[in-house]
Amino acid sequence: MNKIILIGNLTRDPEALTTSGGVNFTRFSIAVNRPFTNSNGDRVADYFDVICWRQLADRCAKYLNKGNKVGITGSVQRRQYEDKDGIRRTTFDVVADEVEFLTPKTGSYDRSGSSGGSYSPEEPDPISGMQPVDGDELPF
C-alpha cells in the first residue's frame, strides 16, 4: 500500500504547468513540523514536494499561496533523472489525491487580492448561524 497523509504549510507559491499533451499540473512544496525540537530547542521540519493533476491542480494554483496550511492525502512517487552535469538523481514526490485548504477564509486564498470568500462563495459561513448553548441544558 502506498498512502501518505500530511499537514503542513506551503514554502512557496504553487507553480502551474501543462504537459506537452495539454494536461494541467501544479507543483508546490510544504513544510511539515515534527512533534519535537532539536537539542538547540529549534523546531524541526520535513519538506515535501507535492504535485497535483487536472482540476485539483487548477484549484491549488488559483487559491493557494506561500504560507497557507493544507492537508494532503496521496501517494509517494519515485522519479529518476539526469541533472545538467549528467549525474543520475532520484527524487520522491507526493502525488496528491486530495488537498484540503486549512487556512481560514479570512486568510484569503485568492491571489487576485480579493478578500476571503472567493474560494467558495456559494457556501454559507457555518459559524455565523451558530447560537450559544447553555451547558445546563445538555443531556450529558
Side-chain angles (χ1 to χ4, degrees):
M1 180 184 318
N2 183 353
K3 187 77 166 174
I4 189 167
I5 301 170
L6 301 167
I7 296 177
N9 296 80
L10 272 73
T11 61
R12 58 185 165 89
D13 285 339
E15 178 184 12
L17 302 161
T18 304
T19 66
S20 58
V23 179
N24 294 338
F25 68 101
T26 297
R27 292 183 167 280
F28 56 90
S29 60
I30 63 170
V32 178
N33 287 327
R34 290 191 180 189
F36 57 85
T37 58
N38 64 16
S39 59
N40 296 329
D42 298 324
R43 182 63 104 177
V44 178
D46 293 304
Y47 298 88
F48 297 89
D49 292 324
V50 180
I51 185 166
C52 306
W53 292 93
R54 298 175 179 79
Q55 292 86 2
L56 181 58
D58 296 338
R59 284 192 305 271
C60 288
K62 183 175 181 181
Y63 297 116
L64 291 178
N65 294 303
K66 178 180 178 178
N68 287 144
K69 184 176 285 293
V70 292
I72 295 173
T73 61
S75 58
V76 178
Q77 175 182 330
R78 180 179 149 216
R79 276 189 306 125
Q80 292 185 325
Y81 65 96
E82 280 191 25
D83 68 9
K84 62 183 177 186
D85 298 325
I87 299 171
R88 191 168 181 89
R89 303 280 185 184
T90 300
T91 186
F92 293 88
D93 295 322
V94 174
V95 179
D97 295 327
E98 298 175 87
V99 176
E100 185 78 24
F101 300 171
L102 301 176
T103 299
K105 281 185 184 181
T106 57
S108 180
Y109 286 112
D110 189 358
R111 289 191 195 172
S112 68
S114 65
S115 62
S118 63
Y119 169 60
S120 54
E122 69 280 357
E123 295 179 21
D125 181 9
I127 305 224
S128 64
M130 297 179 87
Q131 300 293 324
V133 175
D134 182 8
D136 294 334
E137 296 178 15
L138 295 175
F140 48 88

